[in-house]
């Protein structure tokens, strides 16, 4: 009787090795962390986020002779252009009290969202080298973009308030002007949430970045930037839909507080608050779920 040969039909069997090292705490390189751990890591990178935002504000217009003056000149020229076309040529300001200040608030605040959302949507594709080279929470790039836009818009907001005070009919300063701070805070939350969503979408489907500029232009007309929503009084369905537009409520509340001596109705605050909180939560979760895919060549 021949000796029994080992069974090799199923290939080599794994070898068990005794070790005293606990491997349970180890995690694959580049793996997506738990959501709460992800938020904590973003807080740990707060200094990087602030430094990146501040340095980009300082160097953003260094190639231009007028430098950072363009941060203010850009919105001013935009406002002048819309005033000449919409206010003088098309008379869209008929029936609007203090149309010049109405238009200034619309142009300055809406441009904040345009710049934040557009820059956030392209942040992954424009930073692929950094993403390939370093391991860090990618949402910090989107946070830095929105913080940069907030810092660069501080002189813009001050200019907006000065123009409202000095251009006739000059508006008086009141305590309601302080309500502009929570309005800008809610707008920042909304911009960040939408920016996080679009950043992941554009990282997968780059052509979407071309569509965003057209979508923002359509959004501008739906936000009553240079005309009153009362134009749609004969179309109650259209008017009701526009009243749920978050950016319309940003402009509406700012105008109520700065121009018309009213803190705004609770419904407008509730709509804007719900939009801002929902966009931020959904945007953060949506972006976090794609954390392992950013920078990957498709």
């Amino acid at each position: 009787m021949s000796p029994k040969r080992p069974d090799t039909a199923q290939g080599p069997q794994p070898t068990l090795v005794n070790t005293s090292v606990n491997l349970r705490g180890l995690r694959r390189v580049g793996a997506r962390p738990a959501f709460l751990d992800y938020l904590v890591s973003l807080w740990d990178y707060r200094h990087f986020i602030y430094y990146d935002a501040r340095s980009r504000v300082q160097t953003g217009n260094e190639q231009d002779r007028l430098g950072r003056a363009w941060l203010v000149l850009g919105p001013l020229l935009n406002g002048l252009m819309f005033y000449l076309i919409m206010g003088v040529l098309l008379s869209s300001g008929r029936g609007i009290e203090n149309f010049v200040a109405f238009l200034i608030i619309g142009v300055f605040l809406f441009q904040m969202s345009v710049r934040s959302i557009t820059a956030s949507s392209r942040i992954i594709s424009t930073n692929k080298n950094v993403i390939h080279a370093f391991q860090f929470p990618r949402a910090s790039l989107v946070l830095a973009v929105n913080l940069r836009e907030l810092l660069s818009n501080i002189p813009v907001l001050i200019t907006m308030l000065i123009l409202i005070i000095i251009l006739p009919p000059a508006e008086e300063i009141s305590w309601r002007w302080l309500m502009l701070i929570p309005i800008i805070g809610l707008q920042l939350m909304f911009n960040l949430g939408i920016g996080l969503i679009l950043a992941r979408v554009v990282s997968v489907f780059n052509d979407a970045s071309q569509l965003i500029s057209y979508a923002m232009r359509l959004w501008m007309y739906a936000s009553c930037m240079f005309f009153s929503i009362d134009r749609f009084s004969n179309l109650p369905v259209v008017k009701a839909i526009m009243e749920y537009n978050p950016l319309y409520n940003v402009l509406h509340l700012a105008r109520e507080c700065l121009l018309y001596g009213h803190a705004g109705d609770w419904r407008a605050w509730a709509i804007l608050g719900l939009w801002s909180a929902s966009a931020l939560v959904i945007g953060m979760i949506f972006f976090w779920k794609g954390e392992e895919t950013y920078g990957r060549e498709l």
Side-chain angles (χ1 to χ4, degrees):
M1 183 177 180
S2 60
K4 187 177 181 181
R5 301 179 61 182
D7 185 8
T8 58
Q10 297 180 352
Q13 299 299 312
T15 303
L16 295 178
V17 178
N18 292 325
T19 174
S20 58
V21 179
N22 185 4
L23 302 178
R24 291 183 178 178
L26 297 181
R27 194 174 57 197
R28 179 167 54 84
V29 174
R32 184 184 67 197
F35 185 63
L36 289 179
D37 294 338
Y38 191 69
L39 296 181
V40 172
S41 66
L42 280 176
W43 174 252
D44 293 338
Y45 275 84
R46 62 190 182 279
H47 300 296
F48 163 74
I49 293 170
Y50 177 72
Y51 175 80
D52 182 71
R54 192 185 63 177
S55 62
R56 288 178 190 267
V57 170
Q58 292 174 341
T59 60
N61 296 94
E62 63 180 4
Q63 302 296 325
D64 303 318
R65 289 184 180 275
L66 296 180
R68 277 179 279 179
W70 281 110
L71 295 175
V72 176
L73 288 175
L76 278 176
L77 292 175
N78 263 328
L80 180 61
M81 181 188 68
F82 278 108
Y83 176 72
L84 292 175
I85 296 176
M86 300 297 174
V88 177
L89 296 180
L90 300 180
S91 300
S92 67
R94 283 180 297 183
I96 298 177
E97 184 182 350
N98 195 358
F99 176 68
V100 174
F102 180 96
L103 183 63
I104 288 173
I105 293 172
V107 172
F108 279 47
L109 293 187
F110 191 82
Q111 288 297 317
M112 284 178 56
S113 289
V114 172
R115 289 166 56 96
S116 296
I117 293 174
T118 303
S120 297
S121 67
R122 297 171 178 166
I123 196 66
I124 298 298
S125 56
T126 56
N127 286 275
K128 280 192 173 180
N129 291 336
V130 177
I131 292 173
H132 287 153
F134 302 100
Q135 181 66 32
F136 63 96
R138 311 316 191 197
S140 59
L141 293 172
V142 186
L143 283 168
V145 166
N146 283 270
L147 180 59
R148 179 188 71 193
E149 293 302 329
L150 178 63
L151 295 175
S152 64
N153 275 290
I154 289 176
V156 175
L157 292 172
I158 294 173
T159 304
M160 180 184 78
L161 296 177
I162 292 174
L163 290 175
I164 292 172
I165 294 171
I166 63 175
L167 292 178
E171 298 292 335
E172 293 183 359
I173 301 174
S174 76
W175 66 268
R176 296 180 186 84
W177 285 37
L178 294 175
M179 301 301 289
L180 188 62
I181 296 173
I183 293 171
I184 297 297
L186 292 172
Q187 185 183 10
L188 177 66
M189 288 172 57
F190 179 76
N191 294 343
L192 177 58
I194 299 299
L196 286 164
I197 294 171
L198 292 179
R200 182 180 175 188
V201 172
V202 172
S203 72
V204 177
F205 183 59
N206 193 64
D207 295 59
S209 63
Q210 303 297 329
L211 302 175
I212 290 173
S213 61
Y214 297 100
M216 294 305 297
R217 205 171 303 168
L218 179 63
W219 207 344
M220 176 185 71
Y221 289 105
S223 301
C224 299
M225 194 175 83
F226 43 77
F227 55 82
S228 171
I229 197 171
D230 293 334
R231 282 173 172 259
F232 300 94
S233 296
N234 295 329
L235 301 169
V237 176
V238 176
K239 185 179 179 183
I241 293 174
M242 293 176 72
E243 286 175 343
Y244 282 97
N245 175 358
L247 292 185
Y248 162 75
N249 283 288
V250 169
L251 306 187
H252 168 68
L253 288 171
R255 286 161 176 160
E256 289 289 308
C257 297
L258 298 177
L259 303 182
Y260 306 132
H262 192 267
D265 56 289
W266 68 269
R267 184 170 175 269
W269 282 102
I271 292 173
L272 180 58
L274 286 173
W275 268 111
S276 301
S278 302
L280 183 58
V281 172
I282 294 172
M284 187 60 72
I285 294 174
F286 183 72
F287 188 90
W288 162 74
K289 284 186 173 293
E291 180 72 9
E292 295 183 41
T293 65
Y294 304 131
R296 184 182 299 170
E297 300 295 340
L298 299 176

